[in-house]
Amino acid sequence: MSNAIDPQEIARADTIAFHFYTKLFYVINQARATEGPNPNAKSDKWFNLESPDSELLPKEARDAFKSISSLIPSPGIEPFEVQVLLSVPVSNMVLVHTPPDSSRVTIEPKPRFVLLESWTLDFDPSDVYNSGIPAATTYKHGIVLFRSLFSLLRLLPTWKLYQRLRRKMGGINRNANFGIQLRVRSYSGKDDILSFGECNE
């Protein structure tokens, strides 16, 4: 009996894996980005969950995951990290932080962004493609996963901040206002982002 994997099954698995990455970005973007989606944006309906497509997901990020099976056995897939960032207005205003049981502390130099959340998809394709699990079963698990993520995003503290900023801004990201935006993390260098714990240093 042959253990060879059906090429059509590999192609289906590649397609599902690709949409795991894009759907993660779309679902987070829908619940976090204060600038509304393009009114002409297509609707992504993968995993039985409708969410707007987003041009904020760079083409190079999409292309990196279009044929994951071709990367086996190479361990060259970097974790896919989506950063949820508070954009700080470019103005003369001072940015302060109030630690627990302490007075306000001025943050200097003022960062361009503050990291609110980080969502990471770390995928080992060899575990999936060599497991013998049908692609259809993986897709069904994806439905449960993304429905859970959809709900979780609306329970975490950043959801309340998102709603407050959306009401204040009317959905438009102006330079004089705080806003929330998404970015796929680049591992090539450090951006002007204030990360967790740094304001206490």
Side-chain angles (χ1 to χ4, degrees):
M1 181 176 179
S2 173
N3 292 324
I5 303 176
D6 181 0
Q8 291 186 346
E9 187 70 9
I10 292 178
R12 284 191 288 268
D14 271 346
T15 302
I16 292 171
F18 169 73
H19 284 285
F20 260 91
Y21 286 94
T22 57
K23 194 67 172 184
L24 175 66
F25 188 92
Y26 297 156
V27 172
I28 298 172
N29 187 67
Q30 184 181 18
R32 292 293 184 264
T34 49
E35 187 169 356
N38 186 330
N40 298 320
K42 296 180 180 179
S43 181
D44 182 280
K45 298 181 180 180
W46 270 80
F47 304 105
N48 290 3
L49 183 63
E50 190 167 351
S51 51
D53 194 338
S54 174
E55 298 175 353
L56 296 175
L57 182 59
K59 183 179 184 298
E60 57 270 22
R62 299 173 191 249
D63 292 346
F65 306 111
K66 279 191 173 179
S67 184
I68 290 181
S69 62
S70 65
L71 302 177
I72 301 174
S74 172
I77 303 178
E78 289 185 339
F80 179 69
E81 182 178 339
V82 179
Q83 296 177 321
V84 179
L85 305 173
L86 177 69
S87 57
V88 180
V90 180
S91 67
N92 294 326
M93 291 191 300
V94 176
L95 186 66
V96 298
H97 164 62
T98 307
D101 303 321
S102 181
S103 58
R104 291 183 178 181
V105 177
T106 302
I107 299 176
E108 294 180 335
K110 187 170 73 172
R112 183 67 187 89
F113 301 99
V114 177
L115 181 65
L116 299 176
E117 295 174 341
S118 178
W119 300 82
T120 303
L121 175 56
D122 197 356
F123 178 54
D124 183 353
S126 61
D127 288 344
V128 176
Y129 289 85
N130 297 328
S131 66
I133 299 175
T137 301
T138 303
Y139 183 83
K140 291 177 182 178
H141 285 302
I143 293 174
V144 177
L145 171 66
F146 285 108
R147 285 181 178 175
S148 299
L149 177 61
F150 182 91
S151 299
L152 177 61
L153 284 163
R154 286 154 179 79
L155 296 174
L156 295 173
T158 306
W159 172 250
K160 290 185 178 180
L161 176 61
Y162 160 80
Q163 291 181 306
R164 186 188 311 165
L165 292 177
R166 283 280 290 180
R167 286 194 297 267
K168 184 176 180 180
M169 297 164 50
I172 301 175
N173 192 2
R174 301 185 179 91
N175 289 335
N177 292 324
F178 286 93
I180 299 177
Q181 64 185 64
L182 267 62
R183 179 182 295 180
V184 176
R185 180 185 175 186
S186 170
Y187 290 87
S188 59
K190 186 175 181 180
D191 296 316
D192 186 15
I193 299 174
L194 181 67
S195 300
F196 298 113
E198 290 185 359
C199 53
N200 292 325
E201 295 178 356

